[in-house]
Each structure stands twice: as structure tokens, then as C-alpha cells.
Amino acid sequence: MFGLKRLVPHACSMRTSLTMQLCSYKEKFLVFPSHHLAQLTSNRFLDIYQLGNKTAIEKERARLADEMNRGYFADISELKQHGGKIAAANKILIPAMAAVKFPEFEVSYSDGKTLKLPNKFDANVVEGNTSASILPMATLLCLSFRANSQAMIDSWSAPFLNAFSSSNNVQLYEVSFIDQWLLCRNPIKKVLLRLMRKSKGNAQNDSLQRQIVYSFGDHYYFRKELKILNLLTGYIFLLDKFGRIRWQGFGLATQEEVSSLLSCASLLLEEK
């Protein structure tokens, strides 16, 4: 009995100590996300020089909470509800004054060459400049974040390709976003691009060709800027020569939406 009485205070003391340690670890966890949790959610880590930056830490915590609240199962649930059609496509061209610029990002071809998208006119370029003359009047960007959305992308790009196959003033890019940390490392990235190059089909002789490119790395803030939440659907953007978003579509294309896209692209070719 006396032995039991001596053990009770000791056990309480141990429990108090463990609770304090757990609280301490919890505080550290909230400020500095663990290696594994960061890899599962954002696939990136806070830079060493930012560890003492309070603003950077708060920004990272907000991002982590946002990505944990919006996960894969939420995307699956939405996909079951509307099949990726998160909104109807625009029926008319967005006025130039109301259009916003598409954020610039880097893509890689399968041969390793890189390019900044979107291609756009620069107001500082002298009129008549050769490099300015080859820039497109209209660009269709088809964004895919997961492989299952490829059929959605095809439903837009195929009729667009057929309609403007002989046009020199139109460009079409199908962009696959790869954000897995391991696949973005240089050795793996090079192997992946080499495999993509081998599986690439034969090029067409038409003026307009489907350009398949890949964007590696962290795309969180890119997606936030474009208000992209569901990663299982396809996103279609029609841009004008200044890189402004003039039309947008989602998911699988309907015949009416395809007609709207082609009509709006034709209007962009007539703009001066």
C-alpha cells in the first residue's frame, strides 16, 4: 500500500512532464512544419534564410492550413458532383479593359528547352521589330494538374486545332504541371522529359501545332492567382496578344462552349 502511495505522485509528475513536452513540441510544430507534413501538402520547405522572418513563417502557416483544408478527397467529391465542370465557360469575349493578365511562368519542352509563357507583346518593343511580328494574336493555354484531366483538355484543343490549323497568328499550348518534390529534382526531371520525348507523336505540317510542355516546381501561388482549387479538372484560357485572359473554360467541353471558344478566338484575330 505504501509503495502504491509513493508511485502515485511519481506518476503524476511524469504525466505533467510529458504534457509540457507535448505542448512545447506542438508550438514548434505550428511554427515550423515538419519535413514529412510539408512534403505531403506543399512539397516545399521554408528557406533557411526565412526561418527568422516572422512574415514568411506566418505566410507558410496560412498556406499549410489552406492546403490541409482543401485536399484530394474534396476534389474527388466535386468531380463526382459535376464531372469537372466547376463553372460554365464564357459565352462572349471579355472586354480588353476588364481583362486581367495571365501570370508569367516557365515551362519545359521534352527536349529540355525552356520558355516563358505567355508569349505577349511588349509595349516597349519598337513597332516593326521582327521578334514582335511573330508573336501570336491569340493563345490557347490548356492547363492540366493531374493525368485524369487529359480527356477534358482534348475536348477543347482538338476542335481548336482543326479550326485554326492554317493560322500563323494562333498558338496552342497544353501544359502539364508537375509538383511532386522528387520528380522536380534535376536527375529525375531529365529522365522524365526524355521519356516524354520518346512517347511524343509525329509533328504535323500545319502552321498551328499542339505544343506539349511541362511546368515543374511549386505552383501554389500561381494557382491562387488564377483561383484554381480543384486539381482534377482541366482549365482552359484564351489569351490575347498582350497576355490578357479574354475567355475561360473548364472540364469537358460542350458543343456550345466549343463554338463560343472558336468565335472568340476569331474575334481576337481581328483586333488591332
Side-chain angles (χ1 to χ4, degrees):
M1 175 65 91
F2 289 105
L4 181 62
K5 288 182 178 179
R6 285 197 301 270
L7 287 173
V8 170
H10 181 64
C12 292
S13 176
M14 289 180 63
R15 184 172 64 183
T16 302
S17 176
L18 287 171
T19 303
M20 292 177 66
Q21 290 182 30
L22 183 61
C23 291
S24 175
Y25 290 143
K26 187 176 180 182
E27 289 179 1
K28 292 179 182 179
F29 170 77
L30 288 174
V31 177
F32 304 106
S34 72
H35 174 93
H36 297 292
L37 185 60
Q39 185 174 353
L40 288 172
T41 53
S42 63
N43 293 309
R44 65 185 293 276
F45 312 103
L46 206 58
D47 295 330
I48 293 176
Y49 72 90
Q50 290 183 326
L51 292 178
N53 187 328
K54 185 176 179 180
T55 302
I57 292 173
E58 291 297 326
K59 189 176 181 181
E60 190 68 12
R61 289 175 63 184
R63 168 185 176 148
L64 197 61
D66 180 34
E67 291 192 334
M68 291 181 70
N69 289 333
R70 175 76 190 191
Y72 175 79
F73 292 105
D75 289 352
I76 283 287
S77 178
E78 281 190 2
L79 197 66
K80 289 180 179 179
Q81 291 177 15
H82 49 58
K85 183 66 71 176
I86 59 177
N90 294 112
K91 293 185 177 180
I92 60 174
L93 202 63
I94 299 173
M97 296 297 293
V100 298
K101 288 190 175 181
F102 194 92
E104 190 176 79
F105 67 111
E106 185 176 271
V107 298
S108 299
Y109 287 95
S110 58
D111 61 3
K113 294 180 181 178
T114 60
L115 172 71
K116 288 280 188 179
L117 289 178
N119 290 325
K120 56 188 178 181
F121 280 88
D122 188 343
N124 296 321
V125 175
V126 179
E127 187 175 354
N129 189 295
T130 305
S131 60
S133 63
I134 62 175
L135 290 174
M137 296 291 291
T139 300
L140 189 69
L141 290 182
C142 305
L143 311 185
S144 174
F145 294 88
R146 298 294 180 266
N148 68 288
S149 62
Q150 186 58 49
M152 304 177 191
I153 298 302
D154 291 341
S155 68
W156 300 96
S157 62
F160 187 86
L161 192 65
N162 291 333
F164 298 100
S165 59
S166 60
S167 176
N168 294 317
N169 294 323
V170 179
Q171 288 186 343
L172 167 61
Y173 290 93
E174 291 187 8
V175 187
S176 294
F177 289 84
I178 301 171
D179 52 13
Q180 286 82 0
W181 181 82
L182 180 61
L183 298 180
C184 293
R185 300 304 93 195
N186 273 331
I188 305 299
K189 176 181 174 181
K190 290 179 180 178
V191 172
L192 184 61
L193 287 174
R194 191 177 299 117
L195 291 173
M196 296 298 183
R197 189 177 185 181
K198 289 181 180 180
S199 63
K200 188 177 179 181
N202 295 327
Q204 299 176 355
N205 295 322
D206 297 327
S207 297
L208 175 62
Q209 295 183 19
R210 179 189 281 111
Q211 301 191 61
I212 300 175
V213 292
Y214 308 89
S215 182
F216 292 86
D218 176 47
H219 303 105
Y220 175 77
Y221 295 105
F222 173 83
R223 290 189 279 110
K224 290 286 285 185
E225 190 168 351
L226 291 172
K227 297 180 175 59
I228 292 175
L229 295 178
N230 195 312
L231 301 184
L232 300 180
T233 190
Y235 295 85
I236 315 299
F237 296 90
L238 180 65
L239 313 182
D240 63 15
K241 61 183 179 180
F242 296 108
R244 297 173 298 196
I245 302 172
R246 304 295 299 275
W247 183 96
Q248 186 175 1
F250 312 87
L252 279 170
T254 65
Q255 188 58 48
E256 182 182 357
E257 289 176 328
V258 168
S259 298
S260 172
L261 167 61
L262 301 182
S263 174
C264 290
S266 297
L267 290 174
L268 285 183
L269 295 179
E270 297 173 1
E271 282 191 349
K272 296 181 179 181

